[in-house]
Amino acid sequence: MKVHTIDLGFQGHPNAIAAFLLEGPAGPVLIETGPESTRESLLASLAERGVAPEELTAVLVTHIHLDHAGAAGWFAERGVPLYVHEKGAKHLVDPTGLIESARGVYGEQFDSLWGEMTPAPESRVHALAGGETIECGGLSMAVLATPGHAFHHHAYQVGDTVFAG
């Protein structure tokens, strides 16, 4: 497995938000999408690596905060399976409450910081409890329940590498 760290250039700042592209034997896997406001940067980085969004075998998010999963629905809308904690799944299918809550915190800055959030088609969302092993892109991944920063948080382990978010 080869791992690419993709700097999303959030608000023009390097090293603030990242996504991870895994090259699996059966196709690419994306861990984290960042916010919708950085989607174009993410797409450009994927294209530089020869990956079209529809070629992703899966998108995995560690938790549903906008800086980690804000663009996840956009990928799911294009047919990419989306993996998320079972308590966060409903918020990716219907992000209304998540958006309203964040707008209450960020006010007028919300749009420039996070952008819109596309609802994910329910059929593309795979809810995980933690403790499972999933297969994505030909890679076996352990789903680790890691509550703390968020109660709906997972880390994903592939071999001896852990993606903690």
Side-chain angles (χ1 to χ4, degrees):
M1 166 188 72
K2 185 170 184 178
V3 178
H4 303 275
T5 301
I6 299 174
D7 184 346
L8 299 177
F10 180 68
Q11 298 287 293
H13 299 288
N15 306 317
I17 299 178
F20 303 94
L21 178 65
L22 285 59
E23 291 182 23
V29 176
L30 185 66
I31 299 180
E32 311 288 47
T33 65
E36 180 64 26
S37 63
T38 63
R39 179 173 47 85
E40 290 304 320
S41 175
L42 175 57
L43 293 175
S45 292
L46 291 174
E48 287 172 10
R49 291 164 176 82
V51 177
E54 297 80 11
E55 294 175 321
L56 293 169
T57 60
V59 168
L60 291 74
V61 294
T62 59
H63 60 295
I64 61 166
H65 292 167
L66 298 176
D67 56 333
H68 292 262
W74 187 91
F75 287 91
E77 188 178 61
R78 281 149 184 77
V80 181
L82 176 59
Y83 293 84
V84 62
H85 192 287
E86 63 189 0
K87 292 179 181 172
K90 67 181 179 181
H91 297 290
L92 295 183
V93 172
D94 179 6
T96 306
L98 187 61
I99 292 169
E100 287 176 4
S101 176
R103 280 192 186 281
V105 172
Y106 295 101
E108 293 179 5
Q109 294 179 318
F110 177 88
D111 290 322
S112 65
L113 289 170
W114 312 118
E116 288 301 318
M117 190 170 181
T118 302
E122 191 169 7
S123 64
R124 294 287 175 208
V125 178
H126 301 275
L128 303 168
E132 302 95 334
T133 299
I134 59 175
E135 299 288 327
C136 299
L139 300 168
S140 180
M141 302 182 181
V143 181
L144 310 173
T146 52
H149 172 65
F151 67 89
H152 54 273
H153 197 286
H154 283 147
Y156 300 96
Q157 182 176 1
V158 182
D160 62 356
T161 303
V162 175
F163 298 91

PDB file of all heavy atoms in Angstrom, residues 63-81:
ATOM      1  N   HIS A  63     -14.714  11.102  11.505  1.00  0.00           N
ATOM      2  CA  HIS A  63     -15.857  11.655  12.226  1.00  0.00           C
ATOM      3  C   HIS A  63     -16.489  12.730  11.345  1.00  0.00           C
ATOM      4  O   HIS A  63     -15.919  13.103  10.326  1.00  0.00           O
ATOM      5  CB  HIS A  63     -15.458  12.180  13.608  1.00  0.00           C
ATOM      6  CG  HIS A  63     -14.432  13.265  13.612  1.00  0.00           C
ATOM      7  ND1 HIS A  63     -13.125  13.090  13.182  1.00  0.00           N
ATOM      8  CD2 HIS A  63     -14.502  14.553  14.010  1.00  0.00           C
ATOM      9  CE1 HIS A  63     -12.454  14.220  13.317  1.00  0.00           C
ATOM     10  NE2 HIS A  63     -13.269  15.127  13.815  1.00  0.00           N
ATOM     11  N   ILE A  64     -17.660  13.191  11.738  1.00  0.00           N
ATOM     12  CA  ILE A  64     -18.446  14.014  10.825  1.00  0.00           C
ATOM     13  C   ILE A  64     -18.207  15.516  10.948  1.00  0.00           C
ATOM     14  O   ILE A  64     -18.912  16.297  10.312  1.00  0.00           O
ATOM     15  CB  ILE A  64     -19.954  13.727  10.971  1.00  0.00           C
ATOM     16  CG1 ILE A  64     -20.454  14.049  12.378  1.00  0.00           C
ATOM     17  CG2 ILE A  64     -20.248  12.288  10.564  1.00  0.00           C
ATOM     18  CD1 ILE A  64     -21.968  14.114  12.501  1.00  0.00           C
ATOM     19  N   HIS A  65     -17.235  15.949  11.707  1.00  0.00           N
ATOM     20  CA  HIS A  65     -16.950  17.384  11.756  1.00  0.00           C
ATOM     21  C   HIS A  65     -16.619  17.866  10.347  1.00  0.00           C
ATOM     22  O   HIS A  65     -16.026  17.138   9.541  1.00  0.00           O
ATOM     23  CB  HIS A  65     -15.810  17.677  12.723  1.00  0.00           C
ATOM     24  CG  HIS A  65     -16.174  17.428  14.146  1.00  0.00           C
ATOM     25  ND1 HIS A  65     -15.234  17.368  15.141  1.00  0.00           N
ATOM     26  CD2 HIS A  65     -17.378  17.213  14.752  1.00  0.00           C
ATOM     27  CE1 HIS A  65     -15.831  17.133  16.304  1.00  0.00           C
ATOM     28  NE2 HIS A  65     -17.128  17.032  16.086  1.00  0.00           N
ATOM     29  N   LEU A  66     -17.001  19.099  10.047  1.00  0.00           N
ATOM     30  CA  LEU A  66     -16.916  19.621   8.683  1.00  0.00           C
ATOM     31  C   LEU A  66     -15.501  19.633   8.121  1.00  0.00           C
ATOM     32  O   LEU A  66     -15.318  19.473   6.915  1.00  0.00           O
ATOM     33  CB  LEU A  66     -17.523  21.021   8.620  1.00  0.00           C
ATOM     34  CG  LEU A  66     -19.007  21.102   8.975  1.00  0.00           C
ATOM     35  CD1 LEU A  66     -19.474  22.545   8.972  1.00  0.00           C
ATOM     36  CD2 LEU A  66     -19.839  20.256   8.040  1.00  0.00           C
ATOM     37  N   ASP A  67     -14.499  19.801   8.966  1.00  0.00           N
ATOM     38  CA  ASP A  67     -13.125  19.813   8.461  1.00  0.00           C
ATOM     39  C   ASP A  67     -12.626  18.425   8.085  1.00  0.00           C
ATOM     40  O   ASP A  67     -11.600  18.285   7.430  1.00  0.00           O
ATOM     41  CB  ASP A  67     -12.171  20.486   9.458  1.00  0.00           C
ATOM     42  CG  ASP A  67     -12.183  19.875  10.846  1.00  0.00           C
ATOM     43  OD1 ASP A  67     -13.214  19.293  11.253  1.00  0.00           O
ATOM     44  OD2 ASP A  67     -11.165  19.999  11.555  1.00  0.00           O
ATOM     45  N   HIS A  68     -13.371  17.395   8.437  1.00  0.00           N
ATOM     46  CA  HIS A  68     -13.002  16.014   8.098  1.00  0.00           C
ATOM     47  C   HIS A  68     -13.943  15.403   7.061  1.00  0.00           C
ATOM     48  O   HIS A  68     -13.505  14.596   6.244  1.00  0.00           O
ATOM     49  CB  HIS A  68     -12.991  15.140   9.356  1.00  0.00           C
ATOM     50  CG  HIS A  68     -11.900  15.491  10.298  1.00  0.00           C
ATOM     51  ND1 HIS A  68     -10.715  14.799  10.342  1.00  0.00           N
ATOM     52  CD2 HIS A  68     -11.797  16.497  11.200  1.00  0.00           C
ATOM     53  CE1 HIS A  68      -9.927  15.361  11.243  1.00  0.00           C
ATOM     54  NE2 HIS A  68     -10.559  16.389  11.775  1.00  0.00           N
ATOM     55  N   ALA A  69     -15.221  15.765   7.116  1.00  0.00           N
ATOM     56  CA  ALA A  69     -16.222  15.066   6.296  1.00  0.00           C
ATOM     57  C   ALA A  69     -17.135  15.987   5.506  1.00  0.00           C
ATOM     58  O   ALA A  69     -18.115  15.524   4.926  1.00  0.00           O
ATOM     59  CB  ALA A  69     -17.068  14.167   7.198  1.00  0.00           C
ATOM     60  N   GLY A  70     -16.847  17.264   5.447  1.00  0.00           N
ATOM     61  CA  GLY A  70     -17.742  18.211   4.805  1.00  0.00           C
ATOM     62  C   GLY A  70     -18.029  17.935   3.341  1.00  0.00           C
ATOM     63  O   GLY A  70     -19.097  18.239   2.838  1.00  0.00           O
ATOM     64  N   ALA A  71     -17.077  17.345   2.628  1.00  0.00           N
ATOM     65  CA  ALA A  71     -17.271  17.049   1.202  1.00  0.00           C
ATOM     66  C   ALA A  71     -17.640  15.583   0.951  1.00  0.00           C
ATOM     67  O   ALA A  71     -17.747  15.165  -0.198  1.00  0.00           O
ATOM     68  CB  ALA A  71     -16.014  17.418   0.415  1.00  0.00           C
ATOM     69  N   ALA A  72     -17.859  14.807   2.002  1.00  0.00           N
ATOM     70  CA  ALA A  72     -18.120  13.369   1.841  1.00  0.00           C
ATOM     71  C   ALA A  72     -19.358  13.089   1.002  1.00  0.00           C
ATOM     72  O   ALA A  72     -19.357  12.192   0.146  1.00  0.00           O
ATOM     73  CB  ALA A  72     -18.236  12.706   3.209  1.00  0.00           C
ATOM     74  N   GLY A  73     -20.424  13.838   1.206  1.00  0.00           N
ATOM     75  CA  GLY A  73     -21.656  13.618   0.449  1.00  0.00           C
ATOM     76  C   GLY A  73     -21.479  13.835  -1.037  1.00  0.00           C
ATOM     77  O   GLY A  73     -22.103  13.152  -1.848  1.00  0.00           O
ATOM     78  N   TRP A  74     -20.612  14.759  -1.414  1.00  0.00           N
ATOM     79  CA  TRP A  74     -20.340  15.021  -2.825  1.00  0.00           C
ATOM     80  C   TRP A  74     -19.794  13.762  -3.496  1.00  0.00           C
ATOM     81  O   TRP A  74     -20.191  13.411  -4.610  1.00  0.00           O
ATOM     82  CB  TRP A  74     -19.365  16.189  -2.960  1.00  0.00           C
ATOM     83  CG  TRP A  74     -19.143  16.634  -4.364  1.00  0.00           C
ATOM     84  CD1 TRP A  74     -19.831  17.591  -5.041  1.00  0.00           C
ATOM     85  CD2 TRP A  74     -18.153  16.131  -5.283  1.00  0.00           C
ATOM     86  NE1 TRP A  74     -19.336  17.715  -6.330  1.00  0.00           N
ATOM     87  CE2 TRP A  74     -18.307  16.828  -6.492  1.00  0.00           C
ATOM     88  CE3 TRP A  74     -17.157  15.163  -5.194  1.00  0.00           C
ATOM     89  CZ2 TRP A  74     -17.498  16.583  -7.606  1.00  0.00           C
ATOM     90  CZ3 TRP A  74     -16.357  14.925  -6.303  1.00  0.00           C
ATOM     91  CH2 TRP A  74     -16.533  15.636  -7.486  1.00  0.00           C
ATOM     92  N   PHE A  75     -18.894  13.069  -2.822  1.00  0.00           N
ATOM     93  CA  PHE A  75     -18.322  11.838  -3.380  1.00  0.00           C
ATOM     94  C   PHE A  75     -19.366  10.722  -3.401  1.00  0.00           C
ATOM     95  O   PHE A  75     -19.481   9.988  -4.386  1.00  0.00           O
ATOM     96  CB  PHE A  75     -17.088  11.410  -2.576  1.00  0.00           C
ATOM     97  CG  PHE A  75     -15.897  12.275  -2.823  1.00  0.00           C
ATOM     98  CD1 PHE A  75     -15.647  13.390  -2.043  1.00  0.00           C
ATOM     99  CD2 PHE A  75     -15.008  11.994  -3.855  1.00  0.00           C
ATOM    100  CE1 PHE A  75     -14.553  14.211  -2.275  1.00  0.00           C
ATOM    101  CE2 PHE A  75     -13.913  12.804  -4.109  1.00  0.00           C
ATOM    102  CZ  PHE A  75     -13.686  13.918  -3.316  1.00  0.00           C
ATOM    103  N   ALA A  76     -20.142  10.593  -2.327  1.00  0.00           N
ATOM    104  CA  ALA A  76     -21.180   9.560  -2.267  1.00  0.00           C
ATOM    105  C   ALA A  76     -22.225   9.789  -3.358  1.00  0.00           C
ATOM    106  O   ALA A  76     -22.725   8.830  -3.949  1.00  0.00           O
ATOM    107  CB  ALA A  76     -21.829   9.550  -0.892  1.00  0.00           C
ATOM    108  N   GLU A  77     -22.526  11.060  -3.633  1.00  0.00           N
ATOM    109  CA  GLU A  77     -23.486  11.391  -4.687  1.00  0.00           C
ATOM    110  C   GLU A  77     -23.010  10.889  -6.049  1.00  0.00           C
ATOM    111  O   GLU A  77     -23.798  10.653  -6.952  1.00  0.00           O
ATOM    112  CB  GLU A  77     -23.684  12.913  -4.713  1.00  0.00           C
ATOM    113  CG  GLU A  77     -24.791  13.380  -5.609  1.00  0.00           C
ATOM    114  CD  GLU A  77     -24.950  14.890  -5.546  1.00  0.00           C
ATOM    115  OE1 GLU A  77     -23.992  15.614  -5.895  1.00  0.00           O
ATOM    116  OE2 GLU A  77     -26.032  15.335  -5.136  1.00  0.00           O
ATOM    117  N   ARG A  78     -21.720  10.723  -6.202  1.00  0.00           N
ATOM    118  CA  ARG A  78     -21.139  10.233  -7.453  1.00  0.00           C
ATOM    119  C   ARG A  78     -20.918   8.723  -7.441  1.00  0.00           C
ATOM    120  O   ARG A  78     -20.214   8.184  -8.286  1.00  0.00           O
ATOM    121  CB  ARG A  78     -19.840  10.975  -7.742  1.00  0.00           C
ATOM    122  CG  ARG A  78     -20.146  12.335  -8.333  1.00  0.00           C
ATOM    123  CD  ARG A  78     -19.158  13.404  -8.004  1.00  0.00           C
ATOM    124  NE  ARG A  78     -19.636  14.669  -8.555  1.00  0.00           N
ATOM    125  CZ  ARG A  78     -20.602  15.407  -8.000  1.00  0.00           C
ATOM    126  NH1 ARG A  78     -21.184  15.020  -6.888  1.00  0.00           N
ATOM    127  NH2 ARG A  78     -20.997  16.530  -8.557  1.00  0.00           N
ATOM    128  N   GLY A  79     -21.493   8.042  -6.466  1.00  0.00           N
ATOM    129  CA  GLY A  79     -21.466   6.589  -6.438  1.00  0.00           C
ATOM    130  C   GLY A  79     -20.384   5.961  -5.588  1.00  0.00           C
ATOM    131  O   GLY A  79     -20.274   4.737  -5.529  1.00  0.00           O
ATOM    132  N   VAL A  80     -19.590   6.759  -4.898  1.00  0.00           N
ATOM    133  CA  VAL A  80     -18.505   6.209  -4.076  1.00  0.00           C
ATOM    134  C   VAL A  80     -19.074   5.780  -2.722  1.00  0.00           C
ATOM    135  O   VAL A  80     -19.732   6.588  -2.047  1.00  0.00           O
ATOM    136  CB  VAL A  80     -17.373   7.250  -3.877  1.00  0.00           C
ATOM    137  CG1 VAL A  80     -16.251   6.658  -3.043  1.00  0.00           C
ATOM    138  CG2 VAL A  80     -16.851   7.748  -5.225  1.00  0.00           C
ATOM    139  N   PRO A  81     -18.828   4.539  -2.295  1.00  0.00           N
ATOM    140  CA  PRO A  81     -19.284   4.112  -0.969  1.00  0.00           C
ATOM    141  C   PRO A  81     -18.618   4.953   0.120  1.00  0.00           C
ATOM    142  O   PRO A  81     -17.423   5.261   0.051  1.00  0.00           O
ATOM    143  CB  PRO A  81     -18.827   2.654  -0.881  1.00  0.00           C
ATOM    144  CG  PRO A  81     -18.584   2.225  -2.285  1.00  0.00           C
ATOM    145  CD  PRO A  81     -18.160   3.464  -3.022  1.00  0.00           C
TER     146      PRO A  81
END
